[in-house]
Amino acid sequence: MEILEITKRIQELKKQKNAIILAHYYQNPEVQAVADYIGDSYQLSKIAKANTASVIIFCGVHFMAETAKILSPHKKVILPVKNAGCSMADSISYENLLKFKHENPNYIIIGYVNTSAIVKTLCDVCVTSSNAIKIINHYKKMGKKIMYVPDQNLAKYVNYLNQNNPTIDFWDGECYIHHNLTVDELARQKTFHPNAKVILHPEARLDLLQKADFIGSTKEMLDYVKKSDATEFIVGTEEGIRYCLEKDNPTKKFYMLSPKLVCGTMKMTKLIDVENALLEQGNRYEEIKLDQETIELAGKALNKMLELSE
Ligand code: SF4
């Protein structure tokens, strides 16, 4: 009952404020249910840029709301829970990347979108899990030396796909949610569900990825499941994806690869936080504010990504 009442108030507030709610696939189901758009980082950054709403309530983690602000600097972007961070984004600092750039001026810096706005200012181009392989290979074909930051697992996967010819260099960051998945956990799930297709996110380790039937971003996983004739799937990404998987495929069955697939910061946002963000009340929300130089430099890297991934 309470959920229905808050949902109703949120719908009213959205109209009054000319606001839209964007929610990442890893958000709590009730938050995804009130969103105007649900997506992965890449989809949501494109929607944030194209939409005409004057306020964006970004239900996700900090770097995602910053990305929306960079691409839509004239809109008000609000993150409902200011402490919702990302361990992967935290694994690289501006100072360390700046030092690398000074010592290695001939490198192209390719930055995963899971980085802070200030780190993006040092990147030549950004990528997401949907377009990383395409964009990295674009620069490889140009014969550029590449430093990919900060996800070591996606970089190792790209090197594997390219048969290490030549390899790209990479930072040693990772997403703990995907990095901690193991081959043993998968083997255990396979004994219970031997016919299930295994779908994995490229932020998982390479030894696990080598056992997948499909590897892709959250959006690509959803597309794969929709098109697949299979009826059972072992899912190797954050459990919030179940909301869309089950909604889109009511006759198919989904088993999480591990009970650890819950991102604590993604789950911080509750429905009441969305309402408070729209009202701009309380002390949990944050309106994202970035200086002009950060918006311009980080925007250059993000817009290059949008251009190269078309
Ligand atoms: S799932 Fe991983 S990459 Fe995504 S927000 Fe959580 S820690 Fe960051």
Side-chain angles (χ1 to χ4, degrees):
M1 187 61 186
E2 202 196 354
I3 287 187
L4 285 178
E5 281 164 13
I6 302 178
T7 301
K8 214 169 138 201
R9 294 201 297 268
I10 287 174
Q11 302 300 358
E12 272 308 306
L13 283 166
K14 272 198 312 193
K15 278 188 233 149
Q16 282 169 27
K17 311 253 169 180
N18 186 25
I20 53 162
I21 298 176
L22 306 182
H24 192 273
Y25 288 125
Y26 300 164
Q27 289 286 292
N28 288 308
E30 65 276 16
V31 172
Q32 293 192 47
V34 293
D36 297 286
Y37 299 95
I38 307 169
D40 61 16
S41 312
Y42 178 57
Q43 291 170 282
L44 295 178
S45 50
K46 285 214 308 189
I47 291 164
K49 188 176 180 189
N51 201 277
T52 54
S54 39
V55 180
I56 296 170
I57 305 294
F58 205 115
C59 302
V61 293
H62 204 273
F63 76 82
M64 294 178 180
E66 281 189 335
T67 302
K69 182 69 184 175
I70 295 161
L71 291 173
S72 313
H74 304 300
K75 295 174 190 167
K76 184 179 265 195
V77 177
I78 300 179
L79 180 68
V81 180
K82 62 182 164 211
N83 293 334
C86 165
S87 69
M88 186 187 297
D90 292 344
S91 65
I92 183 161
S93 71
Y94 177 84
E95 292 72 23
N96 287 345
L97 185 56
L98 186 64
K99 183 168 178 280
F100 176 87
K101 273 181 74 115
H102 281 152
E103 290 167 0
N104 303 277
N106 55 337
Y107 270 74
I108 288 280
I109 309 291
I110 301 186
Y112 204 20
V113 77
N114 300 36
T115 45
S116 64
I118 193 74
V119 165
K120 286 186 178 76
T121 64
L122 298 174
C123 298
D124 295 288
V125 62
C126 287
V127 297
T128 71
S129 49
S130 319
N131 56 34
I133 295 165
K134 183 176 176 184
I135 293 176
I136 290 171
N137 284 339
H138 167 85
Y139 285 98
K140 270 171 66 92
K141 278 188 200 133
M142 291 164 72
K144 303 282 186 191
K145 278 179 85 83
I146 293 169
M147 167 50 77
Y148 174 71
V149 301
D151 181 20
Q152 56 171 301
N153 289 317
L154 201 141
K156 287 174 189 170
Y157 177 53
V158 172
N159 282 340
Y160 166 75
L161 289 180
N162 289 325
Q163 298 174 328
N164 293 325
N165 183 27
T167 52
I168 59 166
D169 293 317
F170 51 86
W171 218 252
D172 65 352
E174 75 255 334
C175 159
Y176 73 102
I177 295 294
H178 295 99
H179 187 73
N180 290 342
L181 295 173
T182 66
V183 170
D184 286 350
E185 283 176 308
L186 176 58
R188 207 171 311 128
Q189 281 291 26
K190 267 290 196 187
T191 59
F192 295 126
H193 313 292
N195 299 321
K197 294 279 182 204
V198 178
I199 58 173
L200 294 177
H201 195 281
E203 288 167 17
R205 290 185 219 224
L206 186 57
D207 60 346
L208 185 62
L209 293 179
Q210 285 168 319
K211 302 197 178 302
D213 293 297
F214 178 77
I215 300 165
S217 67
T218 37
K219 166 76 170 72
E220 289 164 341
M221 284 184 187
L222 285 159
D223 291 345
Y224 172 82
V225 169
K226 247 192 208 172
K227 286 189 201 137
S228 172
D229 293 333
T231 55
E232 293 181 283
F233 300 85
I234 295 172
V235 182
T237 194
E238 212 275 351
E239 61 90 41
I241 194 176
R242 282 188 86 127
Y243 175 80
C244 285
L245 282 172
E246 287 170 354
K247 188 158 65 81
D248 295 349
N249 308 278
T251 59
K252 297 182 179 176
K253 290 204 167 98
F254 303 100
Y255 314 106
M256 298 315 293
L257 196 159
S258 162
K260 296 178 300 200
L261 280 163
V262 182
C263 174
T265 50
M266 277 284 185
K267 296 296 192 260
M268 280 178 168
T269 309
K270 312 287 184 224
L271 216 44
I272 191 71
D273 297 312
V274 180
E275 183 182 14
N276 283 335
L278 278 159
L279 289 165
E280 295 179 59
Q281 73 179 12
N283 54 10
R284 270 167 77 81
Y285 79 92
E286 177 183 341
E287 182 188 343
I288 303 295
K289 295 208 165 134
L290 297 169
D291 63 66
Q292 196 52 33
E293 196 186 356
T294 301
I295 286 176
E296 275 169 24
L297 289 172
K300 226 169 133 187
L302 282 165
N303 282 312
K304 190 77 191 162
M305 167 184 86
L306 296 175
E307 179 197 318
L308 290 176
S309 52
E310 285 314 317

